[in-house]
Amino acid sequence: DVVATVTQIDGMDYRSCTSAMTDDDKTMKCVAEGAFIPATEIKTNDNLVQLHKRGRMLVASYEALRFQRIDLFTVTLKQIGAYIARSQMADAVDVILNGDGNSNPCGSVSPASSGSLSYADLIAMWSALTPFELNTVLASSSAMTALLTMSEMKDAVAGLNFQGSGKMITPLGANLIHTTALSGNNLIGLDKSCALEMVVAGDVAVDYDKLIDRQLERATISCIAGFAKIYDGASKKMTY
């Protein structure tokens, strides 16, 4: 929900590309006939993308599998996959906040008043992301509570829309994501279409085997992935 593109690689080393565009580069000026067309340079980053391998092994006895009423083995594997996805979300949030090792930490937006979050603060974040679009908001538990208890979010018309369509009202129409990777009074606004690249080394690996001398069945699930920033200005953080 937060990555612009997923890059599949076959090795353990990957160097992402970046385009350091100035404000002048972002302005498409008129070009006269026969004149030189301005160029935008794309180059590789100085540092490699840091990849993390995450996985878990599930061990169950023959008796546990034989006498169960539901396929608990499969359900547990799915839950392990969900835990891996949650850990990868934490990796993504860390890259957004602190950068991917190429001196590109996230810019910050100051709230109008410390200790409280207002709708005007969301407008300030939306404005700070220009020319990018604020289409995704990551919020901690306390920030999520502050967002959903705003008077603008409790509008009667918004409530009728939620009851009729099941779609919850979100700040400025952005996709609102609650994540435990953020703590305290923190939230992140980003343009999902150009903020983050996910790098995956191979597919999700799932392996099974049996230990017949102990009558145990084992399964492992693992994934190697990392994240890199595409455009530095496509994400902003706010601490209130």
Side-chain angles (χ1 to χ4, degrees):
D1 291 333
V2 298
V3 297
T5 181
V6 178
T7 302
Q8 295 276 353
I9 62 174
D10 295 327
M12 291 295 294
D13 294 331
Y14 177 78
R15 197 182 302 271
S16 183
C17 296
T18 186
S19 174
M21 298 180 66
T22 64
D23 292 336
D24 186 64
D25 293 332
K26 298 173 185 177
T27 303
M28 297 294 107
K29 301 178 181 179
C30 295
V31 179
E33 183 178 355
F36 175 76
I37 299 177
T40 298
E41 181 181 0
I42 298 178
K43 59 181 181 180
T44 57
N45 283 321
D46 295 332
N47 296 323
L48 298 172
V49 175
Q50 187 174 8
L51 301 177
H52 302 278
K53 181 179 181 179
R54 301 186 184 276
R56 182 71 63 179
M57 181 170 65
L58 183 63
V59 182
S61 66
Y62 283 10
E63 291 78 13
L65 296 174
R66 184 185 306 170
F67 299 114
Q68 64 180 340
R69 294 178 179 268
I70 61 173
D71 192 356
L72 185 61
F73 206 66
T74 301
V75 173
T76 307
L77 275 176
K78 290 181 179 179
Q79 193 60 36
I80 291 174
Y83 293 149
I84 293 177
R86 185 181 302 176
S87 299
Q88 289 177 344
M89 171 64 83
D91 293 338
V93 170
D94 180 69
V95 169
I96 292 173
L97 292 177
N98 304 312
D100 55 13
N102 292 285
S103 301
N104 51 358
C106 182
S108 60
V109 180
S110 300
S113 60
S114 179
S116 63
L117 183 66
S118 65
Y119 199 76
D121 296 330
L122 299 178
I123 300 297
M125 177 175 285
W126 169 79
S127 178
L129 274 172
T130 305
F132 299 101
E133 177 187 0
L134 177 62
N135 51 34
T136 304
V137 175
L138 305 178
S140 64
S141 297
S142 58
M144 193 77 169
T145 302
L147 283 170
L148 297 180
T149 54
M150 287 181 179
S151 58
E152 290 82 1
M153 301 299 165
K154 296 186 291 184
D155 183 80
V157 176
L160 290 175
N161 182 60
F162 174 72
Q163 294 174 5
S165 64
K167 295 182 179 180
M168 182 178 63
I169 184 173
T170 59
L172 303 174
N175 184 25
L176 184 59
I177 300 175
H178 173 228
T179 175
T180 56
L182 285 172
S183 60
N185 299 332
N186 292 287
L187 56 88
I188 297 173
L190 56 92
D191 188 341
K192 173 190 172 182
S193 64
C194 53
L196 209 60
E197 175 190 12
M198 182 177 184
V199 182
V200 180
D203 297 324
V204 176
V206 181
D207 298 300
Y208 300 89
D209 75 345
K210 292 183 179 182
L211 297 177
I212 59 174
D213 59 336
R214 299 172 58 191
Q215 291 191 322
L216 295 177
E217 186 165 341
R218 303 185 301 183
T220 61
I221 178 172
S222 62
C223 180
I224 302 175
F227 297 89
K229 280 192 171 183
I230 302 176
Y231 288 102
D232 298 345
S235 59
K236 299 291 182 182
K237 65 178 180 180
M238 177 179 289
T239 302
Y240 62 92

